[in-house]
Amino acid sequence: MQIQLLSCDAARPDRRAITKTIETYGLGMDTSLARELTGILLDGSSVEIEVDGKTTSSAFRALRKYGIDYEIME
């Protein structure tokens, strides 16, 4: 399932936690790519990640926890 991460509304976003979340739930993610995508997201641009269908509810919960707005693409 494709998810577009739109923005982060947290007053003080936890860069490390967001990177770990993207790395954990994004298919084919490694630490450096997750770190780069986190930087892009926190700079104000949207990013797309692919999430395994079995872990979507956990991924959605984690994204909401860190104040990340998302949109389901598929």
Side-chain angles (χ1 to χ4, degrees), residues 5-74:
L5 307 179
L6 303 172
S7 64
C8 182
D9 295 336
R12 295 182 61 189
D14 186 347
R15 222 179 237 285
R16 210 156 104 215
I18 293 170
T19 299
K20 186 66 177 169
T21 300
I22 291 173
E23 181 183 5
T24 301
Y25 295 109
L27 292 177
M29 290 288 164
D30 60 0
T31 304
S32 62
L33 180 57
R35 191 177 304 125
E36 183 179 340
L37 292 177
T38 299
I40 292 169
L41 178 66
L42 294 180
D43 285 341
S45 298
S46 62
V47 296
E48 285 187 23
I49 62 171
E50 187 171 349
V51 178
D52 184 14
K54 298 175 186 174
T55 62
T56 53
S57 62
S58 298
F60 293 155
R61 201 170 320 122
L63 293 171
R64 284 191 303 268
K65 177 180 176 182
Y66 297 116
I68 298 173
D69 293 327
Y70 59 87
E71 182 178 281
I72 300 169
M73 302 303 289
E74 304 183 351

